Amino acid sequence: MKSHRKELWFDIPSRRDYINITREVEREILASGIKEGLCLVNAMHITASVYINDAESGLLKDYDAWLERLAPHAPTSQYLHNHTGEDNGDAHLKRQVMGREVVVAITNGQMDFGPWEQIYYAEFDGRRRKRVLVKIIGE
Amino acid sequence: MKSHRKELWFDIPSRRDYINITREVEREILASGIKEGLCLVNAMHITASVYINDAESGLLKDYDAWLERLAPHAPTSQYLHNHTGEDNGDAHLKRQVMGREVVVAITNGQMDFGPWEQIYYAEFDGRRRKRVLVKIIGE
Amino acid sequence: MKSHRKELWFDIPSRRDYINITREVEREILASGIKEGLCLVNAMHITASVYINDAESGLLKDYDAWLERLAPHAPTSQYLHNHTGEDNGDAHLKRQVMGREVVVAITNGQMDFGPWEQIYYAEFDGRRRKRVLVKIIGE
């Protein structure tokens, strides 16, 4: 069994954003030399998500508006978590809707994807350096 | 390390439906000959989910009504994604609530499941051929 | 390839609670002797979740209040599932928001975690014995 590990770093200038990281993950699968296996891609921070969906700019705005309806940022006082001095209570909730991680099959040395699958990093509390972990195991 | 791969195909005649695929995944685990490992089951399309929950017909209707409240299909114009000519903006949101994938442990050649766990394919934009990937690794 | 399996048992005295199980999972990773691999942690019951987020007591209350807004327990008659004699329809919905499972990378024999990642068991229908599965594969 082989394994491969890489951290992807982000420093998103806004509070929230949605970044396509498919190419970065593909590069690590190639670098791993693994032909058959599984690739875990997870946010290492708890106010961000990694998810798989469409690379369509309207949809990214739909996600953002919908998450704001399900877990609004303001008023920040509505979250007990923010009484600790934080203002990111909403980000911890939004991240649960979109998820922490994806697991991707590797077949013949490539991501085993349907026609529209793209891997996204979703930032819900940006303006600082944060990481995504890519961990690959297989042969 | 061994690996095994299978695509399951669906052509759901309605827009939304919930299909129990536990037996189909069990069959692939048996076919793989893998005794200890992990089994990834993921929707290969971005308007469908694979999830694990109860095989109870009332619950399936509860899920459907609840997802319609969280992300209603109509009016379709409420989603920017639909301005591209699609009418499935809601399906991309519903899929995030229910998830893309499950990872199932394999122990002694079988799914390592609690008493009520069943694997479902949830279709949110049917009436065309779509796929689920089953990828198994282990020994 | 090596594998390791452990069930963690819970008997939560209230309907809902959020329990940090990071130390228990760490102990199994150590017991497995696996240095590089993947660790699956999943609820074996369909009215409970395993998720990764912050160990902060205000946030746990925020999650609980938010899940009650998204999928209220009462009136129990609002869920068709409860017409079977159950009163846990809401728990099946809450569990989908928070997820069934997490997959954790193992690097150098340890959980490969960001600074604030903690593994939680979320119970949505307690007052009986329920289980979490820890399954580890790697080398």
Side-chain angles (χ1 to χ4, degrees):
Chain A
M1 205 201 74
K2 289 198 278 193
S3 70
H4 179 82
R5 177 191 194 275
K6 176 77 172 184
E7 290 178 2
L8 309 177
W9 284 84
F10 302 88
D11 193 348
I12 308 290
S14 54
R15 184 181 298 277
R16 293 198 301 277
D17 207 352
Y18 305 83
I19 310 293
N20 191 333
I21 60 171
T22 314
R23 293 296 88 73
E24 284 80 354
V25 177
E26 264 178 353
R27 191 184 309 137
E28 295 312 315
I29 292 173
L30 190 62
S32 76
I34 288 170
K35 301 302 182 194
E36 300 291 326
L38 295 177
C39 174
L40 169 71
V41 189
N42 70 264
M44 300 185 77
H45 296 256
I46 53 189
T47 51
S49 289
V50 172
Y51 73 90
I52 288 176
N53 216 298
D54 203 359
E56 196 280 303
S57 61
L59 180 65
L60 301 182
K61 293 192 184 80
D62 289 332
Y63 278 141
D64 198 64
W66 177 61
L67 292 166
E68 261 295 280
R69 282 200 304 277
L70 293 182
H73 176 68
T76 57
S77 62
Q78 74 191 290
Y79 301 108
L80 292 172
H81 180 60
N82 290 339
H83 300 188
T84 63
E86 300 278 0
D87 70 351
N88 63 7
D90 66 306
H92 291 272
L93 279 54
K94 290 178 168 95
R95 122 72 169 253
Q96 291 307 121
V97 177
M98 298 302 275
R100 166 187 179 258
E101 77 211 14
V102 297
V103 178
V104 175
I106 301 172
T107 301
N108 294 327
Q110 301 202 304
M111 281 182 190
D112 199 333
F113 263 5
W116 303 103
E117 291 189 277
Q118 296 284 313
I119 308 175
Y120 270 80
Y121 174 70
E123 176 62 82
F124 303 119
D125 185 34
R127 299 171 296 184
R128 48 194 166 124
R129 280 167 60 76
K130 294 164 82 169
R131 287 174 288 161
V132 161
L133 179 64
V134 181
K135 180 86 183 190
I136 306 170
I137 70 167
E139 265 183 9
Chain B
M1 204 201 77
K2 288 198 278 192
S3 69
H4 179 83
R5 177 192 194 273
K6 175 78 172 183
E7 290 179 2
L8 309 178
W9 284 83
F10 302 88
D11 193 348
I12 307 290
S14 54
R15 184 181 297 277
R16 295 199 300 278
D17 207 352
Y18 304 84
I19 310 292
N20 191 333
I21 60 172
T22 314
R23 293 296 87 74
E24 284 81 356
V25 178
E26 263 179 354
R27 190 184 311 139
E28 296 313 313
I29 292 174
L30 190 63
S32 76
I34 288 170
K35 301 301 182 194
E36 301 291 324
L38 295 178
C39 174
L40 170 70
V41 189
N42 69 263
M44 300 185 77
H45 296 257
I46 55 190
T47 51
S49 290
V50 171
Y51 73 91
I52 288 176
N53 215 298
D54 203 357
E56 197 280 303
S57 61
L59 180 64
L60 301 182
K61 294 193 184 81
D62 289 333
Y63 277 141
D64 198 64
W66 177 62
L67 292 167
E68 261 294 280
R69 283 200 303 277
L70 293 181
H73 175 69
T76 56
S77 62
Q78 75 191 290
Y79 301 107
L80 293 171
H81 181 60
N82 291 339
H83 300 187
T84 63
E86 299 278 359
D87 70 350
N88 64 6
D90 65 306
H92 290 273
L93 278 55
K94 289 177 169 98
R95 123 69 171 256
Q96 292 307 121
V97 177
M98 298 302 276
R100 167 187 180 258
E101 78 210 14
V102 297
V103 178
V104 175
I106 300 171
T107 301
N108 294 326
Q110 301 202 304
M111 282 183 190
D112 200 333
F113 263 6
W116 303 103
E117 289 189 278
Q118 296 284 312
I119 308 175
Y120 271 79
Y121 174 70
E123 176 63 81
F124 302 120
D125 186 32
R127 300 171 297 183
R128 46 192 167 126
R129 281 166 61 75
K130 293 166 81 170
R131 286 174 290 162
V132 162
L133 178 65
V134 181
K135 181 85 183 192
I136 307 170
I137 70 166
E139 268 183 7
Chain C
M1 203 202 77
K2 288 199 276 190
S3 70
H4 178 82
R5 178 192 194 274
K6 175 76 173 184
E7 291 179 2
L8 309 178
W9 284 84
F10 301 87
D11 193 348
I12 307 290
S14 53
R15 184 179 300 275
R16 294 198 302 275
D17 208 353
Y18 305 83
I19 311 292
N20 191 333
I21 61 171
T22 314
R23 293 296 88 72
E24 285 80 356
V25 177
E26 264 179 354
R27 191 184 310 138
E28 296 311 314
I29 292 173
L30 191 63
S32 76
I34 288 170
K35 300 302 180 194
E36 299 292 325
L38 296 177
C39 175
L40 169 69
V41 189
N42 71 263
M44 299 185 78
H45 296 256
I46 54 189
T47 51
S49 290
V50 171
Y51 72 91
I52 288 176
N53 215 299
D54 203 359
E56 196 279 303
S57 61
L59 180 64
L60 301 183
K61 293 192 183 81
D62 290 332
Y63 278 141
D64 199 64
W66 178 62
L67 292 167
E68 261 295 279
R69 282 200 303 278
L70 293 182
H73 175 68
T76 55
S77 62
Q78 74 191 289
Y79 301 107
L80 291 172
H81 180 60
N82 290 340
H83 299 187
T84 63
E86 299 278 359
D87 71 349
N88 63 7
D90 65 305
H92 291 273
L93 278 55
K94 289 177 168 98
R95 122 72 170 254
Q96 292 307 121
V97 176
M98 298 302 275
R100 167 187 178 257
E101 77 212 16
V102 297
V103 178
V104 175
I106 301 172
T107 301
N108 295 327
Q110 301 202 305
M111 281 181 192
D112 199 333
F113 263 5
W116 303 102
E117 290 189 278
Q118 296 284 312
I119 308 175
Y120 271 80
Y121 174 70
E123 176 62 81
F124 302 120
D125 185 33
R127 299 171 298 183
R128 47 193 167 126
R129 280 166 62 74
K130 293 165 83 171
R131 287 174 287 162
V132 162
L133 178 65
V134 182
K135 181 85 184 191
I136 307 170
I137 69 167
E139 267 183 5

